[in-house]
Each structure stands twice: as C-alpha cells, then as structure tokens.
Amino acid sequence: MSAMSNSNFSRRSIFRAAAGMAAAGTLAACGSNNGRGGSGGSGTQLTQYFHAYGEAGVEQAVKRYAKGYTKANVATQWITGSDYETKLFAALLTKQAPDVFEFHPQIQLVKSGQVADLTDIIEPVMGDFNQADIASHKVDGKIYGVRMIDDPQFFFYRKSMLEKANVAVPTTLDELIEAADKLTTSKVKGLFLGNDLHAIEAPLIWSAGAETLTDKNEVGFNTDAVAGGLSQLRKLFTSGNLLLDAPADFWDPSALDQGLCAIQFCGMWAMPVMQKALGDDLGIFPFPKVGSAGKPSVYNGGWSMFVNAKGKNVEAAKEYVKWLWIEQKKNQEDFATSYGFHIPPRTSIAQQATKLQSGLPAEGVKLFNTYGHFDNIGWTQAMWTALDTVIADSVRKGGDPKAALDKADKTVTRELKKLFG
C-alpha cells in the first residue's frame, strides 16, 4: 500500500504501528460486530476498536479475551485497511462510536473530553508500570489510557552481509551512511529506512541530542545538530544506496527477509518472523549518534487502550478495561509475546516473559531500557505532519534544512499555543 496516498492520520498509523498492518492495499470495510463476549448478566453491550495487526493470531486472541468477560457482551471491530485513525475518528463522531479503543496518547483527545480519566483503575498498580508509560499518559496529574504494549524500533542487519563487506556495526550516522555504500551491490541496497522516511524523524532528533518538545512544552527539535543530520540524510537519499521502493513499508520484515537490503529499520514486533527466516544471521543496533553531542536512541512506540468518555456505558467500559488490561496478567503476557515480540509495560509481567529473556529479544529489551524515548502526550498529529514536511523539503527535495526546521518550528509553536496558551 502506498503510504503517500493515505491521510496524515493513516500514514502516522503506519509509522507508529505496533505491528505491520495487512500488506494488502485494499481498504476493507470495518469488521462486523463479532467476537461477542459472554452473556453478561447485565446485558450491557460494549464495542472495542482494534487496528488490524499484521501478525497471525492477534484478532483471534483479542476476541478470545473478550469472550472470557462475563459482566458485559463485548463486540470487537477489527479495522482492516491502512486507515485505522480515519475510521476511528469518524466513528467517534457518531452514535456508533466505540466504548473502548486503542490509540496513542495525544493531548487533544484529553482536551476535547474524548477520553475518560482512568487514574482510579490504574493507581492501585501504578508502581508496577514502566514509569515512562505512566508519564506519557498523564495530563495535570490524571492518567488517560492504559498502555498495552511497548514497541522498540531499531535497525536489524544481516551479519553475513556486513562480514562479507568488512563493515563494522555503525555507531554514528556517518558510519551508517558509509556502511550503506559498502553494502550496496547490483542486487542488494545497503539500507532501508521505510518508503517515506517518516519512521526515523523522531530518532534523528533524539540521536542528535535534541527533543521533539522541551519539558516546558516548547520546540526542542530546531537545532544545528538536527539540521546537520538532515544534510547527512540528503546525502544518503541521493547516494543510490537506499532502498526507496520496497513492496511493503518499514514495519514489515520482508525487505530484510527477502534480501532486498542489508540493514533495515523496523520494530521488535517483527523479530520472530525475521529469526524464522534468517536464523542466527540477524543482529540489531539503535539509531546511531548524530553529530558530536548526540547519543544513540530507540523509539518506543506501542498501543494503549482508551475509554470513550462520550460513550453510553463509560463505567462499564472502564470495568472491562480494568479487567482485561490490569487484572488479566496471563492475557497481557500472551498479547505481548505470542504474536510478534512486544515488551509488557508491567514490570512484573516483563520479568516473567521468558521469550524475551535470552538471545536477540533480550538484546532488544536492553536497547529499550538503555536508549528508549517514549511518546510525548503534547506532541500532536499536526506536529507529526510538520516533521513529515521537514523530511520532504530537506531530504527529498534538497532544500535548506534550517529553513525547513524554522517552518516546522512556526507550525508546532502555533499548535502549542492552542494547547497550552
């Protein structure tokens, strides 16, 4: 599916996806009301929205969990196609709006009164959550949304290809560009960063020692180091060493699995599929340091469960979310580790998740813990779009990086004034 042809919401969905959505480009209609829960005594009807995860078995698991709930009938809408956000936001404006839905923490949902305060159900177990996940869902001391999974994103590489080309694992952006050049052959491109490069926007900023937003909710990305990184990316973009027309986007492991590239930016969710295809010929490393003051970074995407504050059954929906995403630890571990690898946001579950405790998955967890950056709830959809424009203007079109950053700075500052005054 062409990410370029989708709306900003859907492109961001692909960028931040916890898992690759189905590779088919067709925009299928919303799944019908299926996956009904047990015959709850109250007869309360709840509907939950999920985007179509790419890994086999996720849909069946989500419906199986819902069926085990006895206090309400829970129907699951499994949203296929590449435009989950578009369908979700359209549905939230109608009488058919879901009671419960998965999304990413974004402050405009709180400010518009769309999502319910879940502090009361999370507070008793707050100490068991990764505190960065709590912070990324907090506004004015209240917690909106329960984190379900954390999804670190980093580079995967074919060890044999690097050895053959006598290339060391890159630790700086310069070394990554050099490696891409040495690894490119007539049949294989050195590097894949995704078809539109949007996946690496935030990592580039963090690895240059900057932030998207400062602690005071001011622009943090408009620095000389970030501009320098954009210039380096332009050099890479025009080098011929970048895979730019992969059949699927960065979230899908096929580019590396099929030998289209030697190094691919992707998420930990794809690790089991890659290991199955490549065995031990697989390594990982964080987004490397950009400029002299930078340091490596890992973007921790993921998905969270929200309650629709404008729904008919807010308390019943909160009860269900509490039951599934706070009390049912077995289901939470199953969701995180049985269908692709994700890191459970609950410390107690992460500690007992045996599949993540050795080999490459353990290395992924270590990168997550060492270099991880989480969503900033104040960073909105319009701000992501501003960064998309920076990449388009400076990397794709070769415009002045500082001018592109200044333009985005104005857009983001305007958004921040709307949100924070």
Side-chain angles (χ1 to χ4, degrees):
M1 80 188 76
S2 161
M4 295 307 287
S5 66
N6 301 329
S7 70
N8 289 325
F9 270 130
S10 56
R11 282 191 290 121
R12 192 54 49 200
S13 157
I14 290 169
F15 165 27
R16 295 145 62 79
M21 294 177 221
T26 52
L27 301 183
C30 299
S32 59
N33 274 6
N34 38 24
R36 290 233 169 258
S39 51
S42 66
T44 305
Q45 302 289 336
L46 297 175
T47 300
Q48 59 178 356
Y49 266 32
F50 277 79
H51 82 281
Y53 286 72
E55 295 88 2
V58 189
E59 182 181 3
Q60 291 77 6
V62 164
K63 290 176 179 176
R64 188 173 69 246
Y65 307 151
K67 208 172 179 183
Y69 188 60
T70 55
K71 291 186 182 171
N73 295 308
V74 183
T76 302
Q77 291 269 19
W78 192 252
I79 312 293
T80 56
S82 59
D83 54 353
Y84 175 70
E85 279 92 339
T86 313
K87 287 176 178 174
L88 169 65
F89 279 75
L92 287 172
L93 299 172
T94 69
K95 284 180 180 170
Q96 284 74 47
D99 300 284
V100 173
F101 60 91
E102 63 169 0
F103 199 58
H104 318 290
Q106 289 199 3
I107 199 165
Q108 68 271 39
L109 289 172
V110 178
K111 297 263 181 187
S112 65
Q114 188 68 69
V115 291
D117 173 10
L118 302 183
T119 314
D120 57 335
I121 66 171
I122 295 170
E123 216 154 35
V125 293
M126 199 159 74
D128 189 38
F129 272 88
N130 183 320
Q131 291 307 294
D133 279 324
I134 294 291
S136 68
H137 291 69
K138 202 178 248 191
V139 177
D140 298 332
K142 293 175 180 174
I143 305 162
Y144 299 85
V146 182
R147 194 59 150 188
M148 303 184 295
I149 41 175
D150 283 323
D151 282 311
Q153 299 171 16
F154 29 65
F155 285 102
F156 290 80
Y157 66 95
R158 299 279 292 265
K159 288 181 180 177
S160 59
M161 288 184 179
L162 268 69
E163 277 162 28
K164 193 179 171 188
N166 199 22
V167 169
V169 174
T171 59
T172 66
L173 184 56
D174 274 328
E175 287 173 10
L176 181 65
I177 292 166
E178 205 176 303
D181 187 48
K182 288 181 181 170
L183 291 161
T184 299
T185 68
S186 58
K187 291 176 183 160
V188 179
K189 292 291 185 185
L191 183 62
F192 181 46
L193 299 174
N195 287 328
D196 56 16
L197 311 186
H198 294 161
I200 57 135
E201 291 166 351
L204 180 80
I205 291 165
W206 296 321
S207 284
E211 290 291 338
T212 50
L213 298 177
T214 68
D215 292 343
K216 293 178 178 173
N217 288 315
E218 291 167 349
V219 168
F221 60 81
N222 192 0
T223 70
D224 290 343
V226 174
L230 290 165
S231 295
Q232 288 171 281
L233 277 188
R234 172 65 184 172
K235 180 181 157 191
L236 177 63
F237 185 76
T238 55
S239 66
N241 302 325
L242 207 55
L243 178 64
L244 292 168
D245 52 359
D249 214 336
F250 89 101
W251 41 259
D252 188 285
S254 58
L256 196 75
D257 287 0
Q258 294 171 13
L260 304 180
C261 62
I263 302 173
Q264 174 180 346
F265 190 75
C266 195
M268 191 159 145
W269 58 79
M271 199 181 274
V273 173
M274 287 190 185
Q275 285 183 307
K276 195 175 176 185
L278 304 171
D280 293 333
D281 189 25
L282 187 64
I284 55 173
F285 63 91
F287 197 95
K289 180 177 146 167
V290 176
S292 54
K295 56 185 179 201
S297 71
V298 168
Y299 175 45
N300 293 326
W303 291 86
S304 309
M305 193 49 72
F306 296 89
V307 168
N308 178 9
K310 297 175 180 178
K312 294 187 206 91
N313 295 300
V314 177
E315 288 310 312
K318 280 176 67 173
E319 275 298 308
Y320 172 65
V321 169
K322 179 186 176 187
W323 175 81
L324 181 52
W325 297 110
I326 290 173
E327 293 171 1
Q328 300 300 307
K329 285 188 167 189
K330 266 202 179 118
N331 288 340
Q332 291 160 43
E333 183 180 348
D334 179 66
F335 190 71
T337 62
S338 298
Y339 321 94
F341 290 153
H342 317 268
I343 296 174
R346 300 278 292 277
T347 312
S348 59
I349 300 173
Q351 283 169 349
Q352 68 188 31
T354 49
K355 290 177 185 175
L356 307 181
Q357 283 169 2
S358 61
L360 205 62
E363 278 183 53
V365 172
K366 193 178 175 185
L367 291 183
F368 166 87
N369 288 327
T370 311
Y371 302 116
H373 291 259
F374 289 70
D375 284 314
N376 184 320
I377 198 167
W379 189 259
T380 68
Q381 209 61 40
M383 296 178 196
W384 281 122
T385 304
L387 282 193
D388 295 349
T389 306
V390 169
I391 293 285
D393 290 351
S394 61
V395 180
R396 288 183 169 273
K397 296 174 190 166
D400 175 37
K402 199 69 182 79
L405 288 168
D406 287 344
K407 185 176 150 192
D409 191 322
K410 283 194 182 113
T411 304
V412 173
T413 301
R414 204 164 52 238
E415 283 294 305
L416 289 168
K417 281 209 174 102
K418 274 191 238 167
L419 290 168
F420 302 103

